[in-house]
Structure formats: C-alpha cells, structure tokens
Amino acid sequence: MAIAGFRHGVSLWCPQSCHQGNELRFSLKHGIEGDWPKVRRSFTISCAANADLSKDYVIVGGGNAAGYAVRAFTEHGVDGSKICIVSKEKVPPYERPALTKAYLFPLDKSPARLPGFHTCVGTGNPRQTDEWYKDKGIQVLYDTAATGVDLDKKKLFTSSGSSIAYDNLIIATGASAARLPKTIGGDLQGVHYIREVADADALIEALQTCKKLVVIGGGYIGMEVAAAATAWKLDTTMVFPEPHIMPRLFTPSIADKYEDLFKKYGVRFTKGVTVKRIISGHDGKVSAVELSDGVVLDADTVVVGIGAKPAVGPFIETGLKMSEGGIEVDGQFRTSSPNVWAIGDVAAFPLKIYNRITRVEHVDHARKSAQHCVESLLKVQQDPYDYLPYFYSRVFEHPGSERKVWWQFYGDNVGDVVEVGDFSPKYAAFWIQSGVLKGVFLESGSPEEFGALPKLARQQPKLDVKKLQSASKVEDALSIALEAAGIV
C-alpha cells in the first residue's frame, strides 16, 4: 500500500482477485453513486427441486461476520427460530484471528482452544457456543456449503443437496486462503494453509515433530506464524518476494525494527525471491523448498501465507454486481438484488471517509459490517456505513516471551511519513498528505494512547510537520497531534 505509489491507499489491503471464466467485470467507481447492472435472476443448478427449509433470515458463512450478525438479530428481539446459519465449518462461529496467535502456542504454554474464543468474546460479549444457538432456537447447518442461489425464487442451494427458502439472505462467506499451484507442490503433505480451526489443528500436530519450518509470505499470516514458531524453538525461515515484511503498510524503516526483533528470536529472512517448487521426499512429504534464485531450503513443514481470495464462487453467475473481487454493496450492505446483503470480507462497500469503493479483510470490519447490516435490514437505522480502516497485530505473547509486540494502525497510509521513537518499546508513524494527517501507527501504546488513534485518523487535523519531526519521544509526538486536533 505505502510502496505502490499510494494509488488506492487502504483498498490495496484487499487482493485483487480475478475469477477465470465467468467472472462479471465492471468498471470501478471511486464515488458511491452509480447504476446497478441488470441482474440475471437465476441459473441452472442440480439440486433439490423444493425448499427443505424456510427461514426469514439465512446467513451464509460461519465466520466472525456470521456470529456477530446473529448476535445483532437477537439483541434487537428477533426470534431465533427465524434465523439459520449455513456454515461449511463443523463448529459455531469463532474469533478467527486467534488461529495464528494464541492458538499456535506450544501445548505447555496455555494455548487458546475452543470454546474459549467463540464469537462474540472479541467485543466482551458472551461466547456463542452450540448450546447458545440451541437455546435461542437458531438453526445452524454445520459442514454445509452454499453451492448457488436462485434470486428470483429466493432459494439458497447447499452441498447437502437441499435448498432453503429465505426472505432475506446475508452473504458472509469470508475469504479462502490463496494457495500455491499443485504443479509446484502446493498440495504436498506437510504444506499448510491456515483459515479454519481444522487447518490450525493440522499445523499444531506438525509443529510437534517439526525440525525445519519454512514460512512463505511476509504479511500478517507469515509474521504471526513465524512469531508463534519461536515459542516452539524451531529452525524458521521466512520467504517472500518483497524487500521487507508487511510491505502494504510498513515503511522500510518500520519493517527494519520488526525484522531485527524477529532475528533476535532466531527467525531468518530470505527476501526478494519467489518459490520455484516445493520438493517432496520418497515418502511424498515435504523435504525442501527451491527458490527462484536457485537456493534450496531444507524443510519438513511449510506454511503458506500469501493472502486470501473472497469466497464468492457460488454467487458469481447470479448476476450480482461485483467489484474489487467481491460483491458490491451500498452503505447499508444491500447488494444489487433485493433482499440480498453481503458483509465482511466479501463486501465491496463505499468507504465514506475516503470516497471510494473497497473491500477490507479484517475482523474489525467483519464485526461492524454485520452489526450495521442487520440494523439496516431491521430498519433500526438507515445511516450509511462510515468505517475507519483499522489493522493490528499481536505477537510474541506466549508465556515466557521477553518482548510482547502489539501495534495498531488507523486511517490511510498515503503521503509522507514522520516516524518517532526508538522501539524500546514504543514507536509511532504519522502519514501526512498536503499537511493533513491521514493515518497513524503505534507500537506498544498505553490504552489511552491507542484510544487516541482513531480520533486522530478520523478528524484528520492539519499538522506542523517540522514540529512533529522535532519530537524526541512518541508521547511528545502524540501530544503535538492531539493538540492540533483540539483533543485534550
């Protein structure tokens, strides 16, 4: 994002997925106005002729957005018997970020486990376990994927061969992990992708006997898995094509601070290369990773974290308007088809504060979009969604860790950057465009300091850049920004 000429800012957090074959393509409108295309209402699909279920509200997907949507319905008095979740997972919705953080702690370091992080504990609400759904009368179809929808007849078709009639359909299918091609060993035994609990469980089993780990990708997943691996005291190498970790957000100097810390924990970096192939031994399991520069890294376990793709496959041929690789919605999360809504990772929505259409793959947006959508659907409110982009990461938090890392970013990383601090432990960065604060980053802030970030990013005060550059401490820099914003 910061490296790509700042052309689209936050929207570059979202992979620009291209579906082959039948994908509908539309010109991206950076404003929020525009005519919907004509929607083709149905398509041929092999499944049951008649609906086996009929519900007022059907939520497709079993991730964060689905769990928070259900809570919003119940908070507004909707009877649970009117709600159905269709989930391809085998457990109720949970707080997915845990899978690459505390879930990966070694078994003797108090790892997170279900039911401890079912939604909606991430916002301080009770856990929604299977018993919670049953008590509310909410039907959850586990291990069931959506295969298509007839928009005209208002029916959702599922992998079980049954169909569900709906009054309102909420698409919350999230995203799937981007995978390496099978032709270069992307599906070999010992190659792991993390998106669901089952994926993390398989990785944990592998880590117990792992000797050499190669992590492919320098973004969120790569950083968090590599950090977790240090608690297992594994020989770990990160491989990625970019010049430094987190290139869409981190400046080179910010990245240097984190890379030095990772190196202190024993993680090695191989940058500026791609994976040519993953090599298997005689037993068919991973034995090495060959890179584009000819280097071969020994490995018995490989974790691939190279991004995600919005899970829109069942909906592409319906005629729903697509944008940014996802399903385009308005400020209420309504799609181009009546009574069909989309939230979370799959929703390409109007980012009001920056006046452009974007997708955001982040738990914060999943939660907030679910709440806003349900309240719009129930006509509790009709205000347009006004989201402030927010990203964070927490690593090295396992028991016994010498240094815990927790950073937060709010806003848009466009413009010039002023960085303050010595990373012991605090560090801050301010993105300034034409004298106006656009985004702010903070490592190891206090609760009060972290709480000030969204206020600054949303208010976008004019800053005296020279005065900010003269700050010797993070606290002083934040005080200068807060004073400019009139925030006491």
Side-chain angles (χ1 to χ4, degrees):
M1 189 160 68
I3 307 302
F6 313 119
R7 188 168 64 87
H8 291 300
V10 171
S11 68
L12 290 183
W13 277 93
C14 309
Q16 305 301 304
S17 306
C18 292
H19 302 278
Q20 301 299 317
N22 294 324
E23 183 184 12
L24 300 177
R25 298 181 181 270
F26 299 96
S27 297
L28 175 64
K29 295 179 181 292
H30 287 275
I32 62 175
E33 299 296 330
D35 296 329
W36 297 111
K38 185 176 180 180
V39 175
R40 183 159 59 88
R41 287 287 181 174
S42 62
F43 61 96
T44 302
I45 186 165
S46 175
C47 65
N50 298 308
D52 299 309
L53 287 175
S54 181
K55 296 286 182 177
D56 290 18
Y57 310 105
V58 175
I59 303 169
V60 187
N64 279 89
Y68 279 84
V70 168
R71 174 160 290 276
F73 276 123
T74 60
E75 286 177 341
H76 289 289
V78 174
D79 190 297
S81 65
K82 297 181 178 181
I83 305 168
C84 176
I85 293 179
V86 179
S87 173
K88 64 185 181 66
E89 295 203 50
K90 298 180 180 180
V91 295
Y94 52 87
E95 305 285 357
R96 201 174 298 279
L99 296 184
T100 52
K101 298 180 177 68
Y103 202 84
L104 295 183
F105 288 177
L107 304 184
D108 62 349
K109 296 187 182 296
S110 304
R113 290 292 181 269
L114 291 173
F117 57 97
H118 281 299
T119 55
C120 295
V121 297
T123 53
N125 288 297
R127 289 190 296 268
Q128 295 169 196
T129 61
D130 188 53
E131 290 72 22
W132 184 90
Y133 288 94
K134 290 177 180 177
D135 289 344
K136 297 287 186 182
I138 298 166
Q139 187 164 11
V140 184
L141 303 181
Y142 296 112
D143 203 19
T144 304
T147 56
V149 61
D150 186 322
L151 298 176
D152 205 25
K153 295 181 179 179
K154 297 173 71 173
K155 286 184 181 180
L156 178 77
F157 302 109
T158 72
S159 57
S160 69
S162 64
S163 61
I164 307 170
Y166 62 83
D167 288 335
N168 287 277
L169 177 68
I170 299 178
I171 301 172
T173 43
S176 58
R179 303 177 73 88
L180 292 175
K182 292 182 180 181
T183 53
I184 66 169
D187 63 343
L188 287 175
Q189 186 176 349
V191 177
H192 297 264
Y193 304 84
I194 303 180
R195 195 68 193 179
E196 301 176 357
V197 164
D199 301 328
D201 286 341
L203 176 58
I204 290 167
E205 183 177 355
L207 293 179
Q208 294 177 59
T209 57
C210 177
K211 300 295 187 233
K212 291 184 178 292
L213 172 67
V214 170
V215 179
I216 300 171
Y220 271 110
I221 300 299
M223 283 185 65
E224 293 182 353
V225 170
T230 65
W232 294 78
K233 302 188 184 305
L234 301 178
D235 182 321
T236 302
T237 302
M238 290 184 68
V239 176
F240 45 89
E242 298 86 2
H244 60 75
I245 58 174
M246 293 292 290
R248 291 177 176 173
L249 175 61
F250 287 2
T251 64
S253 53
I254 293 176
D256 283 346
K257 305 292 190 300
Y258 288 96
E259 289 182 11
D260 286 346
L261 181 61
F262 273 69
K263 290 174 184 176
K264 179 181 177 182
Y265 277 93
V267 177
R268 291 187 295 274
F269 292 90
T270 301
K271 311 175 193 179
V273 295
T274 58
V275 174
K276 182 177 181 180
R277 61 176 177 140
I278 301 176
I279 303 169
S280 63
H282 295 300
D283 57 0
K285 298 179 181 179
V286 169
S287 63
V289 177
E290 183 180 355
L291 306 179
S292 56
D293 61 359
V295 171
V296 176
L297 301 173
D298 290 338
D300 53 68
T301 303
V302 173
V303 177
V304 181
I306 55 174
K309 298 179 179 180
V312 296
F315 311 103
I316 291 175
E317 294 190 12
T318 63
L320 289 174
K321 186 176 182 181
M322 299 286 171
S323 182
E324 293 293 286
I327 300 171
E328 187 165 327
V329 297
D330 64 12
Q332 310 298 331
F333 293 97
R334 295 175 293 215
T335 70
S336 55
S337 179
N339 304 106
V340 179
W341 315 67
I343 58 177
D345 295 356
V346 298
F349 64 95
L351 189 60
K352 183 180 177 182
I353 190 171
Y354 303 128
N355 193 37
R356 62 172 178 258
I357 301 294
T358 193
R359 281 193 314 105
V360 174
E361 294 173 1
H362 195 269
V363 63
D364 181 62
H365 165 63
R367 295 166 179 164
K368 291 176 178 176
S369 64
Q371 184 81 26
H372 195 93
C373 171
V374 170
E375 291 182 348
S376 298
L377 190 159
L378 297 177
K379 302 192 184 305
V380 174
Q381 61 82 30
Q382 291 299 301
D383 295 328
Y385 188 54
D386 190 10
Y387 185 67
L388 176 66
Y390 163 58
F391 303 98
Y392 79 95
S393 186
R394 301 177 68 151
V395 295
F396 300 120
E397 293 194 306
H398 55 273
S401 173
E402 296 179 9
R403 165 77 187 271
K404 293 174 172 50
V405 167
W406 182 13
W407 60 260
Q408 295 184 17
F409 170 84
Y410 283 89
D412 204 3
N413 62 336
V414 294
D416 299 318
V417 187
V418 175
E419 300 179 26
V420 181
D422 58 7
F423 202 67
S424 63
K426 292 185 179 181
Y427 200 77
F430 303 82
W431 279 260
I432 302 168
Q433 188 175 58
S434 302
V436 174
L437 179 67
K438 304 300 289 186
V440 58
F441 170 97
L442 178 61
E443 166 61 47
S444 297
S446 68
E448 294 76 20
E449 289 167 339
F450 277 140
L453 302 188
K455 299 175 185 177
L456 288 170
R458 187 170 287 282
Q459 189 162 330
Q460 302 181 63
K462 289 190 70 68
L463 291 180
D464 183 330
V465 175
K466 290 185 178 180
K467 186 175 182 180
L468 191 64
Q469 290 173 331
S470 70
S472 60
K473 298 188 301 182
V474 168
E475 293 86 350
D476 295 341
L478 287 172
S479 294
I480 290 169
L482 289 169
E483 182 180 355
I487 301 172
V488 179

